[in-house]
Amino acid sequence: MLRVEEQYKRPLERLLPEMVNEKGLTGTALEFGVSKATIGYWLLKLGIQYRRVALAPDETLEIKHQGR
């Protein structure tokens, strides 16, 4: 965890959601040089929710961020 945070100069709490949304679990694991299981463990440990959603061609998804 520390190696990735130092490499990207950002805390994993902020970096992981962005990377997983952009690259998926597999792409993020490859980018960080770790396994998908490690990414899953980090998400769980940091309390980051991961959901997969299937949308029909005419559906959209909106994600709202609530400030802390």
Side-chain angles (χ1 to χ4, degrees), residues 3-63:
R3 176 187 59 81
V4 172
E5 287 182 326
E6 289 173 5
Q7 180 181 349
Y8 288 85
K9 299 185 181 5
R10 294 179 61 199
L12 275 181
E13 293 90 338
R14 301 312 242 162
L15 182 60
L16 270 176
E18 180 182 309
M19 294 289 286
V20 170
N21 284 330
E22 183 180 321
K23 298 179 180 280
L25 288 177
T26 301
T28 301
L30 289 171
E31 177 88 16
F32 291 165
V34 299
S35 69
K36 281 178 32 178
T38 298
I39 297 296
Y41 172 72
W42 289 352
L43 292 170
L44 182 65
K45 181 174 178 163
L46 296 170
I48 299 170
Q49 294 184 20
Y50 174 73
R51 309 259 191 234
R52 291 175 51 161
V53 178
L55 299 173
D58 62 340
E59 294 178 321
T60 61
L61 179 67
E62 180 180 352
I63 299 173

